[in-house]
Amino acid sequence: MANPRLDKTPDNEGHEPPSPPQKDAWRSSYREVMAIGEFRAIWSAHTIATIGTNLLNIAASILVYQITGSPLAAGFTIALGFLPPLIAGPFLSGLADLFPRRRVMVVCDLVRAVLIVSIGIPGLPLWAVWALLFCSVLPALPFAAARAAMLSEIIQGERYVASTAIIQLTAQVGILVGFMAGGFTSGLFGAHATVMCNGALFVVTALIVRFGVKARPAPERAEKEEGGGYAALIAGGARLVFGDPRLRTLALMAWLAGLYMVPYGLATPLAAEAGGGETAAGVVMAGSSIGALVGGLVLTRLVPPVTRLRLLGPLAVLASVPLLVWLFDPPLWLMVVALAVSGATASYQFVANAAFVLCVPPDGRARAFGLVAAGLQVSQGLGILAGGFFAEFFGTGTVVVGAGVLGIVFALLLVLPWSRMSDEVTRRMQETDAPA
């Protein structure tokens, strides 16, 4: 099927007609994607939202610490961000398959804006802050599901891989900027004011999407799920993911992050054991993001599409290998290097993300993406919680090594099936980019 947004009909929105097939045409995909006005709007909104989300995490944690004086309460505030996907992934992402996706994105951001502003109201009891924070995260997954599905309508094939890589690479920068801005602005203006002003960022993102992206009707469902209700729609999404070997394997590859991200949750004790303080802990936490920036650029800019898809399995294995460094009680610099290498190899997630979305039928993309995105966040949250629990009994180094071993074993179980289906997935992605 032809890409509806890369045709030969001028629309004065910055879209370019597809160029004739060339051997190395994929190398120009970044430039072609950035020339599309609708993509620039979605990308800008995502960047601002990423900064706002991470700024909120830090500012809310500081706010709670000021209220309670409890490090445990402050830590729980950050952990709250991992819990809403249990609800939002399976039950809310399907909204983007029922309603126009631009409308879902705009409404989600406006709801988040109201909830975040409410968190910053002085004098709220702690339970209200936590409840509002929990609810403020809920719209993020239907927003992300709608964004991924809408992007696949605007851009397809290799350009879609480039678009997701650009968005995820920018997200790594947004995470770092949000963390730094949250601490700085909370110290300068106070946590309450910082949280309330942060809500305005989501009004901005809603306006960018509303006026920067064209309205499209809700996707037509190819067939009615048995029963026809919303519950059947959600159940159909789970069947779609786990009933297709390609989608199931890609989802399991994504969820491996719950193992190789364990050191992220142990950054503070790992840094302390190496003789560092809070700044060192921040450097440890940033290691994987720095690696992902470099690895993502190399993988999507220098490696041909067919090769990078075949590399998904081996890279999934290699993402956990650097964790074995903790067998040797590494110094701080080696910890950061190991996590950067892990982040670089884990950039296979950029390609797996795009392959997954393009292999899902259009009418189920939001449900399927939301389910897997929720599983990714939950796997990371559970991995961090389990890592902290077992570190109390066995020590941080042992836990990190154990997570690395489990990550290698589970990834090896996915390598063989993936090697059999990678060429088929490549063909499927190429079909979405082929002219009619």
Side-chain angles (χ1 to χ4, degrees), residues 382-401:
L382 292 178
I384 290 171
L385 289 174
F389 175 79
F390 287 112
E392 292 285 334
F393 301 96
F394 303 106
T396 55
T398 302
V399 169
V400 173
V401 171

Side-chain angles (χ1 to χ4, degrees), residues 106-187:
V106 171
V107 171
C108 283
D109 271 353
L110 292 178
V111 170
R112 292 190 75 184
V114 172
L115 291 169
I116 291 170
V117 169
S118 300
I119 294 171
I121 297 174
L124 285 181
L126 181 60
W127 66 265
V129 172
W130 278 342
L132 287 168
L133 185 62
F134 180 92
C135 292
S136 74
V137 181
L138 290 176
L141 271 170
F143 177 95
R147 185 197 70 231
M150 178 176 285
L151 272 179
S152 69
E153 298 178 42
I154 300 170
I155 310 166
Q156 295 183 354
E158 178 57 27
R159 296 177 185 86
Y160 186 84
V161 178
S163 72
T164 56
I166 291 169
I167 284 176
Q168 294 188 58
L169 288 169
T170 306
Q172 300 301 321
V173 177
I175 290 170
L176 299 176
V177 172
F179 280 154
M180 291 186 293
F184 175 76
T185 55
S186 294

Side-chain angles (χ1 to χ4, degrees), residues 1-9 11 15 38 150 152-156 216 432:
M1 179 175 135
N3 187 330
R5 302 311 312 147
L6 288 173
D7 50 32
K8 296 183 180 179
T9 304
D11 60 5
H15 300 281
E38 289 189 283
M150 178 176 285
S152 69
E153 298 178 42
I154 300 170
I155 310 166
Q156 295 183 354
R216 292 175 176 81
T432 67

